Amino acid sequence: MAQSSVTEAGANTAEAFWKSIAWGMSLESATVGVLVVTLVILYFLSLARERKDLPPGPLPWPVVGNLVDLASGGLPHIFLTKLASKYGGLMYLRLGSKPCIVISSAAAAKEMFRKSNEANFSSKNKGLFIEIISDNYRTLAHSPYGPHWRQLRRFVTSELFSPKRHASYQNAREDELRNMMRVLSEDCAKGDALKNLKSWFRELNANLMTKMLFNKSGDACREERMELEQSFEAILTTSMKSAVGDYIPSLRFITKLQGVDRAFKDLRDLWIQIGGKFMELEERRTSRADDHKQFQPDFVDLILAEPLDNGKPMSDTTLALQIMEFLFAGTDTGATVSEWAVAEVIGNPQVLKQAREELDAVVGGDRLMQESDIPNLPFLEAIVKEAFRLHPPVAVTLNRLAVEPAEAWGYTIPAGSQLTVNMYAIHRDPEVYENPDEFNPQRFIDRPEVNHLSGFDSYELIPFGLGRRMCPGANLGNTMVSLMLGNLIHSFDWSLPNEQSLESFRRDNKEERFGVMSTRKEPLVLVARPRDNVASC
């Protein structure tokens, strides 16, 4: 009897013990649950206060903000366009700790870059890649808006891109075009008519840029030009590497652990090396000193002598990176748009037929199309505009900065905001363009007043950027795309390789490669044959 009582008492004690443990655990769980709910409520209350006067946008995650959404969304310009269809043409994201305003409609672009805001938005966003590749923000594309940038911009515009300079290089443009048309004709004569057009466009543009910058023919820089093309592929991939420390400063160590900063520095060193080969600085300094009477300065000589960096000439390092910046912008962007343009025309036989009829009527059959023909070729001009609309070289720019707080449509734009201009979305704005995904040059025949070379007026078509930071070489780029496209349509018949069907070609033509530029996923390869009774060189 006593033994039974002891056993029963022990069981009761054990039961009480486990009940107390279970009660304690449930109390702890309840406490944790209440704490989590409280923190979530506080986070969303804080978020609501923070976003009170900001444009609409998706809710950010704690710490990382909307970086997770962007990282998992595929091609950035397409993902941001889908978001804009829900949140509107002016959208707010938070990238880590950095506020970001995404501009995705023509009306939003016009509002954001109105006169009272434009100067405030003329500086560039900073980041590790830009810092390294621009020699600490010293080159034209990446300098902060201010005295250094204005002086450099004036000099470059005057010596490279002014109307007078543009006219002075007309013979050089037509000579280089004639040479490359001859190369294409000779390939056809040898039966080697399968052409990678991106490479052809790049070579032609690179030849012209070497003439403008160094007064050298393409043959004189063949080795450097091959290295230049290889470096283009490097920058298209390296620049897309994520430097998470740009957005979450406390995680800068991850950038180093991933080797991202080393990759950026390797690309910078490659650019300095190639730029140095092109410029031959020691040789030109020696020849200038030895024979100053016979010395004929080119652009590099002029910029070497100009006090553009706090009253001093550019350092050799900055100059090499600046020259490579010009070569990249003047070569690859035009080649990218031209490749897309040819693909769109080949995929639309009626457009090809109409363009060729116009060219035959204006140019005839005994010569190449020339720059003087362009004003008389409105349908070709409409094709070029439509190509720039559907395929701007840089579909989404991440590099504008709001230096001071601003206001747009009643919303607050915080100081320090990154301004992202989604040209892909703006150029497909359904409020402006009917059937915006369709390649239809007729839309610009009906609206010839749309000026894609302005940067201040036609906000619905801005392939060269906006405001005072728009590309200074816009006129040159447009001229080269028009010349290359017009002559290829006029002088050659084009067909698809390997008996590919037109439907299959059109389907493939929509595929893009992930990168800083909107390039085709696969290079455009076509079969060329000179047209009968039409000059091809």
Side-chain angles (χ1 to χ4, degrees):
M1 189 77 174
Q3 179 68 30
S4 174
S5 298
V6 170
T7 302
E8 185 177 344
N12 290 337
T13 302
E15 182 180 359
F17 172 76
W18 289 113
K19 281 184 177 179
S20 68
I21 292 294
W23 183 83
M25 290 177 67
S26 79
L27 179 63
E28 183 178 339
S29 298
T31 303
V32 170
V34 170
L35 180 60
V36 169
V37 170
T38 301
L39 288 174
V40 169
I41 292 172
L42 289 174
Y43 173 72
F44 281 106
L45 286 174
S46 172
L47 202 59
R49 286 195 298 271
E50 174 192 326
R51 297 170 65 94
K52 179 174 178 291
D53 298 318
L54 297 173
L59 291 176
W61 294 81
V63 183
V64 297
N66 299 109
L67 285 173
V68 174
D69 304 316
L70 279 174
S72 60
L75 293 172
H77 52 283
I78 295 177
F79 174 71
L80 289 174
T81 300
K82 290 177 181 176
L83 278 184
S85 67
K86 180 177 180 180
Y87 295 104
L90 204 60
M91 180 171 60
Y92 174 82
L93 303 177
R94 183 158 56 77
L95 307 181
S97 59
K98 181 176 292 188
C100 175
I101 306 298
V102 184
I103 303 158
S104 303
S105 71
K110 184 176 182 179
E111 170 69 10
M112 283 289 287
F113 286 90
R114 66 184 190 271
K115 192 172 182 179
S116 58
N117 281 341
E118 203 270 327
N120 184 37
F121 297 158
S122 290
S123 271
K124 293 296 188 82
N125 190 44
K126 294 187 176 183
L128 181 63
F129 176 75
I130 299 303
E131 177 185 341
I132 290 173
I133 204 67
S134 67
D135 198 22
N136 197 26
Y137 311 106
R138 305 308 298 166
T139 62
L140 179 63
H142 305 296
S143 293
Y145 180 68
H148 172 74
W149 176 83
R150 284 192 291 268
Q151 186 181 13
L152 185 53
R153 173 82 177 208
R154 279 195 299 268
F155 176 81
V156 168
T157 300
S158 172
E159 299 300 338
L160 272 184
F161 301 121
S162 68
K164 181 179 178 181
R165 285 292 185 184
H166 184 77
S168 73
Y169 288 118
Q170 179 173 336
N171 289 338
R173 288 190 290 273
E174 295 184 348
D175 285 347
E176 295 300 338
L177 176 65
R178 191 176 299 107
N179 290 337
M180 288 302 294
M181 293 290 283
R182 185 179 297 112
V183 168
L184 185 50
S185 296
E186 290 171 353
D187 287 346
C188 290
K190 293 184 294 188
D192 183 18
L194 199 64
K195 296 304 297 182
N196 179 329
L197 284 179
K198 180 68 169 288
S199 181
W200 189 87
F201 290 132
R202 275 177 168 173
E203 185 172 353
L204 198 166
N205 281 330
N207 287 347
L208 175 62
M209 291 304 297
T210 56
K211 178 75 82 148
M212 292 175 62
L213 295 170
F214 320 114
N215 198 25
K216 294 180 181 178
S217 67
D219 288 339
C221 301
R222 186 171 298 275
E223 179 183 339
E224 292 88 345
R225 200 183 61 237
M226 291 175 63
E227 291 180 339
L228 179 69
E229 185 159 349
Q230 292 170 358
S231 80
F232 290 160
E233 294 303 319
I235 195 170
L236 291 174
T237 54
T238 304
S239 60
M240 292 305 293
K241 292 182 182 293
S242 175
V244 67
D246 288 346
Y247 300 101
I248 308 174
S250 61
L251 299 181
R252 282 201 177 102
F253 70 94
I254 292 179
T255 302
K256 286 196 172 185
L257 290 176
Q258 291 175 320
V260 172
D261 58 338
R262 184 67 265 166
F264 293 167
K265 290 174 182 176
D266 288 345
L267 178 61
R268 176 201 60 194
D269 294 344
L270 176 64
W271 268 33
I272 292 170
Q273 177 188 345
I274 297 173
K277 286 184 178 180
F278 270 115
M279 293 188 296
E280 298 178 319
L281 290 180
E282 293 307 317
E283 292 87 340
R284 75 171 58 236
R285 284 167 174 151
T286 300
S287 63
R288 182 169 56 183
D290 292 345
D291 193 7
H292 64 276
K293 292 183 179 179
Q294 299 298 319
F295 173 67
Q296 295 293 322
D298 57 25
F299 177 79
V300 174
D301 292 310
L302 295 174
I303 200 170
L304 274 171
E306 194 73 12
L308 294 172
D309 198 350
N310 292 323
K312 299 177 181 179
M314 278 186 175
S315 70
D316 290 357
T317 294
T318 304
L319 181 55
L321 293 172
Q322 180 63 76
I323 289 298
M324 290 297 289
E325 190 176 279
F326 289 144
L327 287 169
F328 177 72
T331 298
D332 216 52
T333 54
T336 296
V337 174
S338 298
E339 184 186 34
W340 279 114
V342 171
E344 292 287 5
V345 170
I346 297 302
N348 291 270
Q350 184 56 42
V351 171
L352 175 61
K353 180 175 181 290
Q354 188 172 344
R356 183 165 285 167
E357 288 174 351
E358 180 184 69
L359 284 157
D360 288 346
V362 172
V363 179
D366 59 352
R367 65 178 178 87
L368 295 178
M369 174 199 150
Q370 300 170 354
E371 287 186 38
S372 57
D373 296 315
I374 294 176
N376 302 317
L377 296 166
F379 192 69
L380 176 66
E381 182 181 12
I383 290 174
V384 171
K385 287 182 179 180
E386 184 71 341
F388 274 117
R389 182 186 74 84
L390 280 179
H391 306 289
V394 181
V396 56
T397 66
L398 307 173
N399 56 2
R400 291 293 187 100
L401 181 71
V403 177
E404 302 290 341
E407 177 273 334
W409 281 345
Y411 297 117
T412 296
I413 311 301
S417 294
Q418 172 180 297
L419 303 184
T420 294
V421 181
N422 188 352
M423 294 184 191
Y424 178 92
I426 291 171
H427 291 178
R428 285 170 168 76
D429 187 345
E431 296 296 318
V432 177
Y433 297 109
E434 186 178 355
N435 299 320
D437 293 324
E438 177 185 324
F439 184 79
N440 178 18
Q442 184 63 38
R443 68 177 88 244
F444 293 115
I445 294 293
D446 299 337
R447 298 182 61 213
E449 73 279 2
V450 175
N451 182 6
H452 59 308
L453 302 178
S454 167
F456 288 94
D457 303 317
S458 301
Y459 293 95
E460 64 267 48
L461 189 60
I462 51 171
F464 296 102
L466 281 164
R468 63 195 75 189
R469 291 303 290 249
M470 75 172 288
C471 174
N475 193 26
L476 173 63
N478 187 70
T479 298
M480 288 304 297
V481 172
S482 300
L483 276 175
M484 294 187 294
L485 179 62
N487 275 290
L488 292 183
I489 292 173
H490 180 238
S491 295
F492 292 90
D493 284 318
W494 299 92
S495 57
L496 303 177
N498 304 321
E499 300 181 353
Q500 184 182 15
S501 69
L502 189 60
E503 287 70 23
S504 171
F505 177 77
R506 285 172 171 165
R507 185 172 57 252
D508 294 345
N509 201 38
K510 298 181 183 298
E511 295 188 24
E512 297 180 49
R513 172 182 169 191
F514 186 84
V516 68
M517 291 177 62
S518 300
T519 56
R520 290 171 53 85
K521 188 172 183 180
E522 299 294 337
L524 177 63
V525 177
L526 296 173
V527 179
R529 182 176 65 83
R531 290 180 67 202
D532 296 333
N533 303 318
V534 174
S536 58
C537 60

